[in-house]
Coordinates of all heavy atoms in Angstrom, one line a residue:
G54 N -7.3 0.1 10.5 CA -8.5 0.6 9.9 C -8.3 1.8 9.0 O -9.1 2.2 8.2
I55 N -7.1 2.5 9.2 CA -7.0 3.8 8.5 C -6.9 3.6 7.0 O -7.1 4.5 6.2 CB -5.7 4.6 9.0 CG1 -4.4 3.7 8.9 CG2 -5.9 5.0 10.4 CD1 -3.2 4.5 9.2
L56 N -6.5 2.4 6.6 CA -6.4 2.1 5.1 C -7.8 2.3 4.5 O -7.9 2.6 3.3 CB -5.8 0.8 4.8 CG -4.3 0.7 5.0 CD1 -3.8 -0.7 4.5 CD2 -3.5 1.8 4.4
E57 N -8.8 2.0 5.2 CA -10.2 2.0 4.7 C -10.6 3.5 4.3 O -11.6 3.6 3.6 CB -11.1 1.4 5.6 CG -10.8 -0.1 5.9 CD -11.7 -0.6 7.1 OE1 -12.6 0.1 7.6 OE2 -11.4 -1.8 7.5
I58 N -9.9 4.4 4.8 CA -10.3 5.8 4.6 C -9.5 6.4 3.5 O -9.7 7.6 3.1 CB -10.2 6.7 5.8 CG1 -8.7 6.9 6.2 CG2 -11.0 6.1 7.0 CD1 -8.5 7.9 7.3
A59 N -8.5 5.7 2.9 CA -7.6 6.3 1.9 C -8.3 6.5 0.6 O -8.9 5.7 0.0 CB -6.4 5.3 1.7
D60 N -8.0 7.7 0.1 CA -8.3 8.1 -1.3 C -7.1 7.8 -2.2 O -7.2 7.5 -3.3 CB -8.8 9.5 -1.4 CG -10.1 9.8 -0.7 OD1 -11.1 9.0 -1.0 OD2 -10.2 10.7 0.1
I61 N -5.9 8.0 -1.5 CA -4.6 7.7 -2.2 C -3.7 7.1 -1.2 O -3.6 7.6 -0.1 CB -4.0 9.0 -2.8 CG1 -4.9 9.7 -3.8 CG2 -2.6 8.7 -3.4 CD1 -4.4 11.0 -4.3
L62 N -3.1 6.0 -1.5 CA -2.2 5.3 -0.7 C -0.8 5.7 -1.1 O -0.4 5.7 -2.3 CB -2.3 3.8 -0.8 CG -3.6 3.2 -0.2 CD1 -3.8 1.8 -0.7 CD2 -3.6 3.2 1.3
V63 N 0.0 6.2 -0.1 CA 1.4 6.7 -0.4 C 2.4 5.8 0.3 O 2.3 5.6 1.5 CB 1.6 8.1 0.1 CG1 3.0 8.6 -0.3 CG2 0.5 9.0 -0.6
I64 N 3.3 5.2 -0.4 CA 4.4 4.5 0.2 C 5.6 5.4 0.2 O 6.3 5.6 -0.9 CB 4.7 3.2 -0.6 CG1 3.5 2.3 -0.7 CG2 5.9 2.4 0.1 CD1 3.7 1.0 -1.5
N65 N 5.8 6.0 1.3 CA 7.0 7.0 1.4 C 8.2 6.2 1.8 O 8.1 5.0 2.2 CB 6.6 8.0 2.4 CG 7.6 9.2 2.3 OD1 8.1 9.5 1.3 ND2 7.8 9.9 3.5
K66 N 9.4 6.8 1.7 CA 10.6 6.2 1.9 C 10.8 4.9 1.0 O 11.2 3.8 1.5 CB 10.8 5.8 3.4 CG 10.6 7.0 4.4 CD 10.8 6.6 5.8 CE 10.6 7.8 6.7 NZ 10.8 7.5 8.1
A67 N 10.4 5.1 -0.2 CA 10.3 4.0 -1.2 C 11.7 3.5 -1.6 O 11.8 2.6 -2.4 CB 9.4 4.4 -2.4
D68 N 12.7 4.2 -1.1 CA 14.1 3.7 -1.5 C 14.6 2.6 -0.5 O 15.7 2.1 -0.6 CB 15.1 4.9 -1.5 CG 15.0 5.7 -0.2 OD1 14.0 5.6 0.6 OD2 16.0 6.4 0.1
R69 N 13.7 2.3 0.5 CA 14.1 1.3 1.5 C 13.8 -0.1 1.1 O 13.0 -0.3 0.2 CB 13.3 1.6 2.8 CG 13.8 2.8 3.6 CD 13.0 2.8 4.9 NE 13.5 3.9 5.8 CZ 13.1 4.1 7.0 NH1 12.1 3.3 7.6 NH2 13.6 5.1 7.8
P70 N 14.6 -1.1 1.6 CA 14.3 -2.5 1.3 C 12.9 -2.8 1.7 O 12.4 -2.4 2.7 CB 15.4 -3.2 2.1 CG 16.4 -2.2 2.4 CD 15.8 -0.9 2.5
G71 N 12.3 -3.7 1.0 CA 10.9 -4.2 1.3 C 9.8 -3.4 0.7 O 8.6 -3.7 1.0
V72 N 10.1 -2.4 -0.1 CA 9.0 -1.6 -0.7 C 8.1 -2.5 -1.6 O 6.9 -2.2 -1.7 CB 9.6 -0.4 -1.5 CG1 10.5 -0.9 -2.7 CG2 8.5 0.5 -1.9
E73 N 8.7 -3.5 -2.3 CA 7.9 -4.3 -3.2 C 6.9 -5.1 -2.4 O 5.8 -5.3 -2.8 CB 8.8 -5.3 -4.0 CG 9.8 -4.6 -5.0 CD 11.1 -4.1 -4.3 OE1 11.2 -4.4 -3.0 OE2 11.9 -3.5 -5.0
N74 N 7.3 -5.6 -1.2 CA 6.4 -6.4 -0.4 C 5.3 -5.5 0.1 O 4.1 -5.9 0.2 CB 7.1 -7.0 0.8 CG 8.1 -8.1 0.3 OD1 7.9 -8.7 -0.7 ND2 9.1 -8.4 1.1
T75 N 5.6 -4.3 0.5 CA 4.6 -3.4 1.0 C 3.6 -3.0 -0.1 O 2.4 -3.0 0.1 CB 5.3 -2.1 1.5 OG1 6.2 -2.4 2.5 CG2 4.2 -1.1 2.0
E76 N 4.1 -2.8 -1.3 CA 3.2 -2.4 -2.4 C 2.3 -3.6 -2.8 O 1.1 -3.5 -3.1 CB 4.1 -2.0 -3.6 CG 3.2 -1.6 -4.8 CD 4.1 -1.1 -6.0 OE1 5.3 -1.4 -6.0 OE2 3.5 -0.5 -6.9
K77 N 2.9 -4.8 -2.7 CA 2.1 -6.0 -3.1 C 1.0 -6.2 -2.0 O -0.1 -6.6 -2.4 CB 3.1 -7.2 -3.1 CG 2.4 -8.5 -3.4 CD 3.4 -9.7 -3.5 CE 2.7 -11.0 -3.8 NZ 3.7 -12.1 -3.8
A78 N 1.3 -6.0 -0.8 CA 0.3 -6.2 0.3 C -0.8 -5.2 0.1 O -2.0 -5.5 0.2 CB 0.9 -6.0 1.7
L79 N -0.5 -3.9 -0.2 CA -1.5 -2.9 -0.4 C -2.4 -3.2 -1.7 O -3.6 -3.1 -1.7 CB -0.9 -1.6 -0.6 CG -0.2 -1.0 0.7 CD1 0.5 0.3 0.4 CD2 -1.2 -0.9 1.8
K80 N -1.7 -3.7 -2.7 CA -2.5 -4.1 -3.9 C -3.4 -5.2 -3.7 O -4.6 -5.3 -4.2 CB -1.5 -4.4 -5.1 CG -0.9 -3.2 -5.7 CD 0.0 -3.6 -6.9 CE 0.6 -2.4 -7.6 NZ 1.5 -2.8 -8.7
S81 N -3.0 -6.2 -2.9 CA -3.9 -7.3 -2.5 C -5.1 -6.8 -1.8 O -6.2 -7.3 -2.0 CB -3.1 -8.3 -1.7 OG -2.0 -8.9 -2.4
M82 N -4.8 -5.9 -0.9 CA -6.0 -5.3 -0.1 C -7.0 -4.6 -1.0 O -8.2 -4.8 -0.9 CB -5.4 -4.4 1.0 CG -6.5 -3.8 1.9 SD -7.2 -2.2 1.3 CE -5.8 -1.2 1.2
L83 N -6.4 -3.9 -2.0 CA -7.3 -3.2 -2.9 C -8.1 -4.1 -3.8 O -9.2 -3.9 -4.2 CB -6.5 -2.2 -3.8 CG -5.9 -1.0 -3.0 CD1 -5.1 -0.2 -4.0 CD2 -7.1 -0.1 -2.5
D84 N -7.4 -5.2 -4.2 CA -8.1 -6.2 -5.0 C -9.3 -6.9 -4.3 O -10.2 -7.3 -5.0 CB -7.1 -7.3 -5.5 CG -6.1 -6.7 -6.5 OD1 -6.4 -5.7 -7.1 OD2 -5.0 -7.4 -6.7
L85 N -9.1 -7.0 -3.0 CA -10.2 -7.7 -2.2 C -11.4 -6.8 -2.0 O -12.5 -7.2 -1.7 CB -9.6 -8.1 -0.9 CG -8.7 -9.3 -0.9 CD1 -8.1 -9.5 0.5 CD2 -9.4 -10.6 -1.4
A86 N -11.2 -5.5 -2.1 CA -12.2 -4.5 -1.7 C -12.4 -3.5 -2.8 O -11.6 -2.6 -3.0 CB -11.9 -3.8 -0.4
H87 N -13.6 -3.6 -3.5 CA -14.0 -2.6 -4.4 C -15.4 -2.1 -3.9 O -16.4 -2.5 -4.5 CB -14.1 -3.1 -5.8 CG -12.7 -3.5 -6.4 ND1 -11.8 -2.5 -6.6 CD2 -12.2 -4.7 -6.7 CE1 -10.7 -3.2 -7.1 NE2 -11.0 -4.5 -7.2

């Protein structure tokens, strides 16, 4: 539920593998909720 309170979403440690999947999941969540 903490994502619902975000004004800015930060993907830290973005040099790690899987960052694209994490970003895609977050973008999908934002697309569903305006």
Side-chain angles (χ1 to χ4, degrees):
I55 58 173
L56 286 190
E57 299 171 6
I58 69 172
D60 295 306
I61 298 172
L62 292 164
V63 183
I64 303 177
N65 196 28
K66 304 182 180 181
D68 55 342
R69 287 186 173 184
V72 63
E73 295 83 3
N74 291 336
T75 301
E76 184 177 14
K77 183 179 179 181
L79 293 177
K80 283 183 177 179
S81 298
M82 184 270 298
L83 290 175
D84 289 340
L85 288 173
H87 295 292

